[in-house]
């Protein structure tokens, strides 16, 4: 049994090896415990204390079923993150994330799922020589 607890650091390439695209707006995440009587309170990350935002992305992995393609990514940031500019000729905006973590959990259907949290959202870097695994370690 591994002694991993809490968020597990991962690279963008580990989570989205085929890349991903923004398919929704960046929105504040509601703190359901603190929001009451019609008052909206934005969630804060329990460890970092940062405000939590969410954006829906589409995983470009061609092997995924349609229902698995969209994923919510939570962004920890004091200010609302701004998505990269759309790219001419593409129906969706490609995006990459930095300082990513995943937290495994069991969802309402009893299946293993992952909560993805990031610190930065940016345009993809120009395609060049892929970094090797040892560089990421």
């Amino acid at each position: 049994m591994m002694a991993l607890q809490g968020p597990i650091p991962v690279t963008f390439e580990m989570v989205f090896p085929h890349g991903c695209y923004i398919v929704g707006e960046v929105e504040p995440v509601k703190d359901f415990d603190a929001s009451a009587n019609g008052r909206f309170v934005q969630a804060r990350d329990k460890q970092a204390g940062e405000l939590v935002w969410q954006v829906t992305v589409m995983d470009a992995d061609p092997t995924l079923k349609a229902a698995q393609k969209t994923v919510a990514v939570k962004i920890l940031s004091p200010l609302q993150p701004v998505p990269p500019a759309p790219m001419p000729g593409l129906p969706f905006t490609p995006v990459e994330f930095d300082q990513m973590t995943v937290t495994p959990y069991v969802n309402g259907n009893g299946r293993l799922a992952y909560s993805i949290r990031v610190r930065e959202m940016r345009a993809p870097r120009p395609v060049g020589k892929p970094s090797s695994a040892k560089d990421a370690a």
Side-chain angles (χ1 to χ4, degrees), residues 27-120:
E27 298 171 328
V29 172
K30 184 176 186 174
D31 180 330
F32 287 98
D33 295 330
S35 297
N37 304 323
R39 193 171 63 98
F40 179 89
V41 177
Q42 188 168 355
R44 286 190 177 270
D45 182 71
K46 287 176 179 58
Q47 278 92 26
E50 295 270 21
L51 290 172
V52 182
W53 308 84
Q54 182 169 297
V55 66
T56 302
V57 300
M58 183 173 63
D59 191 329
D61 184 342
T63 66
L64 291 177
K65 294 184 180 85
Q68 300 171 310
K69 278 197 173 287
T70 56
V71 180
V73 174
K74 292 190 167 58
I75 307 167
L76 309 185
S77 175
L79 302 172
Q80 182 165 355
V82 177
M87 293 184 75
L90 291 180
F92 302 111
T93 303
V95 66
E96 289 187 3
F97 300 101
D98 289 322
Q99 300 180 53
M100 296 182 73
T101 63
V102 295
T103 304
Y105 68 97
V106 176
N107 70 15
N109 300 329
R111 296 184 187 272
L112 181 64
Y114 296 92
S115 173
I116 302 170
R117 289 184 180 238
V118 305
R119 290 275 185 178
E120 188 183 339

Side-chain angles (χ1 to χ4, degrees), residues 1-14:
M1 186 72 181
M2 294 198 295
L4 288 173
Q5 293 192 343
I8 302 163
V10 293
T11 65
F12 176 80
E13 292 75 17
M14 291 165 73

